[in-house]
Amino acid sequence: MTERWQSRRHQQIKNRPNDNRSPWQVDRSRIIHAAAFRRLQSKTQIMSIGVNDFYRTRLTHSLEVAQIGSGILRHLRIRHPEYRQLVSTSLIETLCLAHDIGHPPFGHGGETALNYLMADFGGFEGNAQTLRIVAKLEPYSNGYGMNLTRRTLLGFIKYPQLIDTLWHSRPNHHDEHRFIQAHHWLPAKGLYGCDETIFEWILEPLSNCDRDLLTSHKPYNEYKSKTLYKSVDCSIMELADDIAYAVHDLEDAVATGTLTQAQWEEHAMPKLTQLDNPWLKNNLSSLSKRLFSEDESIRKDLIGELVNLFIISTNLAIQHEAFENELLKYVAKLDEHHEDMLSVFKTFVYEQLIRDPKMQQIEFRGQNLLIDLFQAFESAPLRLLPKSTQLDWLKAGEESQQYRILCDYLSGMTDEYAMKTHQRLFNGA
């Protein structure tokens, strides 16, 4: 079974004398040297050009997620020595480093725009694009992407079901308004139908029972359903991402003055006060003072303390008794006290920072900029697309495949490159 999870879709023979790396270390190397990974340095995390200088890009965020993920893994090995599936720090670092490489320019605004534009051709979703990049697009191999191990690919799948299966009622795509209603076009979180063969290969070692349970889903809103389960590796990566988002992005917002102590006192502190949390009972009175201290070292010390607190509050929990495979039966999870605390942090960052009108205006601008670019390239693909993308367009043949190629091209742009391309097409060089 271990050998099957270490296998790759394409058996390549490489001239690597005395290469003593594990399969997981090879996977990490391929991520680090990938162009898609390097492009994260020019994709913003939360701060955006034009509002504040941003401290963290998606690249530095991903490095921090990898650090937190490896910390969670070390802690779980100590706390659960009986669980033998936590095999490699390199595996977890691979997932954490690359978890955002499928995200398009302009964050969730870009994701919503591309999902709207691709509504008739399979949709768009950042995590689905991540799998597509690592398993198909990145030119390390011919058509197999980075040709990563099966277990690593499973770890990337946060939402194990096809997008088309998750939609049960779709919004009206042919809207007569100039601007789309973004909340209608938030993507269904799953995988592309055109990548189904990759998905099937990844799930091949699982029993029918485990496959059915892993791909199960339930209604989420009037339009779509959501999946319920994931692998233990994926759960570690996702928790590390949540911690980095809630703690480090909060740090950025405070350091740049984007979020004030008054906002914190009004919107976060009352919720934290209500929690039955031993750490908060001892530290709540000094939390605000340390977080908003003019001495940066004091704030840094608090941030490190919070990250460590969440790491050591992580356990393995059974996500469903019916799972047969140990990779699926357990997930990493915060204890209830600290899960509630992390939720307050995440909600505060989301409501006071991401949903701030200035941030939303920038997201709106990026959303519409991508729509402009898509429609321009769609109107004359063999005139405007780069030569290599034109060749891919011609080879695709089917319309849905051609639109997926266009979507791949646009989603791979950095924020700056997309803005320069838009300026060249619409506003002059």
Side-chain angles (χ1 to χ4, degrees):
M1 182 62 74
T2 299
E3 184 176 344
R4 295 187 73 183
W5 287 111
Q6 292 180 2
S7 64
R8 305 177 189 274
R9 291 178 65 223
H10 180 52
Q11 300 308 311
Q12 297 170 294
I13 299 176
K14 297 291 184 181
N15 184 20
R16 304 287 191 272
N18 302 315
D19 188 349
N20 58 7
R21 294 175 298 171
S22 72
W24 325 118
Q25 290 171 325
V26 170
D27 284 356
R28 183 181 58 185
S29 297
R30 292 180 183 181
I31 292 293
I32 290 173
H33 293 288
F37 179 67
R38 293 194 297 274
R39 282 195 291 269
L40 292 175
Q41 66 187 309
S42 295
K43 294 188 178 186
T44 55
Q45 174 61 6
I46 286 185
M47 301 300 169
S48 191
I49 298 171
V51 172
N52 281 301
D53 291 337
F54 57 86
Y55 285 0
R56 285 177 169 88
T57 64
R58 285 199 182 273
L59 179 62
T60 58
H61 164 75
S62 298
L63 293 172
E64 288 172 334
V65 174
Q67 181 72 12
I68 295 170
S70 62
I72 293 173
L73 179 65
R74 286 194 305 271
H75 171 72
L76 290 177
R77 281 173 171 167
I78 295 171
R79 177 161 283 190
H80 301 277
E82 75 285 353
Y83 186 70
R84 304 294 184 181
Q85 300 302 320
L86 302 174
V87 295
S88 172
T89 300
S90 296
L91 169 59
I92 297 301
E93 288 180 346
T94 298
L95 300 177
C96 293
L97 288 170
H99 78 282
D100 266 353
I101 65 172
H103 281 228
F106 312 116
H108 291 295
E111 185 179 46
T112 301
L114 289 176
N115 185 52
Y116 166 78
L117 294 161
M118 291 294 292
D120 295 332
F121 307 103
F124 179 85
E125 201 272 330
N127 298 284
Q129 192 69 19
T130 292
L131 181 67
R132 182 169 173 81
I133 289 170
V134 300
K136 182 178 287 187
L137 299 182
E138 189 68 22
Y140 181 86
S141 62
N142 187 14
Y144 298 92
M146 301 179 199
N147 197 30
L148 305 178
T149 60
R150 180 185 264 120
R151 178 165 173 176
T152 297
L153 294 179
L154 178 66
F156 279 119
I157 301 178
K158 293 173 67 174
Y159 310 106
Q161 184 51 270
L162 300 179
I163 287 174
D164 288 342
T165 302
L166 296 172
W167 285 105
H168 48 78
S169 175
R170 294 179 184 266
N172 180 16
H173 182 230
H174 304 290
D175 199 334
E176 295 180 359
H177 297 290
R178 169 69 176 86
F179 304 111
I180 66 173
Q181 298 294 313
H183 64 281
H184 287 162
W185 292 102
L186 298 174
K189 293 184 177 298
L191 304 172
Y192 302 138
C194 58
D195 296 329
E196 184 175 7
T197 55
I198 298 172
F199 186 37
E200 290 295 324
W201 181 83
I202 295 169
L203 301 187
E204 192 176 287
L206 300 177
S207 67
N208 290 335
C209 174
D210 277 3
R211 291 180 61 169
D212 289 344
L213 188 56
L214 180 64
T215 57
S216 62
H217 47 88
K218 68 177 182 180
Y220 176 68
N221 60 23
E222 61 180 309
Y223 296 124
K224 51 187 177 272
S225 295
K226 66 176 182 179
T227 59
L228 304 171
Y229 307 111
K230 55 184 62 70
S231 71
V232 65
D233 302 324
C234 184
S235 73
I236 294 173
M237 173 265 284
E238 188 172 40
L239 179 55
D241 188 25
D242 284 348
I243 294 171
Y245 165 79
V247 179
H248 287 304
D249 291 343
L250 172 63
E251 178 189 6
D252 265 2
V254 170
T256 58
T258 308
L259 291 178
T260 66
Q261 187 167 354
Q263 287 173 290
W264 173 261
E265 298 283 356
E266 179 181 356
H267 298 285
M269 286 295 285
K271 295 179 181 178
L272 292 173
T273 302
Q274 295 173 8
L275 298 181
D276 181 19
N277 184 301
W279 186 89
L280 285 175
K281 289 184 184 300
N282 294 324
N283 295 276
L284 186 58
S285 60
S286 66
L287 183 57
S288 295
K289 183 178 179 180
R290 297 167 68 192
L291 183 60
F292 292 91
S293 173
E294 294 183 3
D295 185 339
E296 186 178 357
S297 66
I298 293 176
R299 185 173 62 248
K300 286 286 187 184
D301 186 61
L302 171 65
I303 295 302
E305 187 175 338
L306 289 171
V307 170
N308 178 73
L309 175 67
F310 289 125
I311 287 175
I312 65 173
S313 302
T314 305
N315 295 288
L316 287 176
I318 294 176
Q319 66 172 341
H320 200 296
E321 289 281 3
F323 277 119
E324 301 168 7
N325 194 295
E326 294 284 293
L327 293 179
L328 305 179
K329 191 165 190 173
Y330 296 90
V331 288
K333 191 175 177 62
L334 284 173
D335 64 45
E336 184 178 355
H337 295 308
H338 294 91
E339 186 174 29
D340 291 341
M341 180 177 168
L342 186 66
S343 178
V344 172
F345 284 17
K346 288 170 59 180
T347 300
F348 176 71
V349 171
Y350 177 76
E351 292 181 349
Q352 300 303 314
L353 179 61
I354 296 177
R355 296 301 301 176
D356 178 79
K358 289 182 180 178
M359 292 296 178
Q360 286 300 302
Q361 288 169 14
I362 290 175
E363 187 173 291
F364 177 82
R365 182 184 67 175
Q367 170 186 304
N368 289 291
L369 186 151
L370 268 186
I371 291 175
D372 286 345
L373 289 179
F374 190 99
Q375 292 175 343
F377 286 115
E378 174 191 28
S379 70
L382 299 182
R383 177 188 177 195
L384 300 177
L385 286 172
K387 289 292 186 182
S388 59
T389 311
Q390 288 184 30
L391 292 175
D392 291 338
W393 178 281
L394 290 171
K395 291 177 184 176
E398 295 182 10
E399 185 181 44
S400 62
Q401 294 175 343
Q402 291 175 330
Y403 275 86
R404 182 58 64 190
I405 287 167
L406 174 56
C407 185
D408 290 338
Y409 172 62
L410 291 174
S411 68
M413 290 181 171
T414 64
D415 298 16
E416 183 179 5
Y417 185 80
M419 287 189 284
K420 287 183 176 179
T421 303
H422 189 272
Q423 184 180 36
R424 188 164 58 246
L425 287 171
F426 295 99
N427 302 318

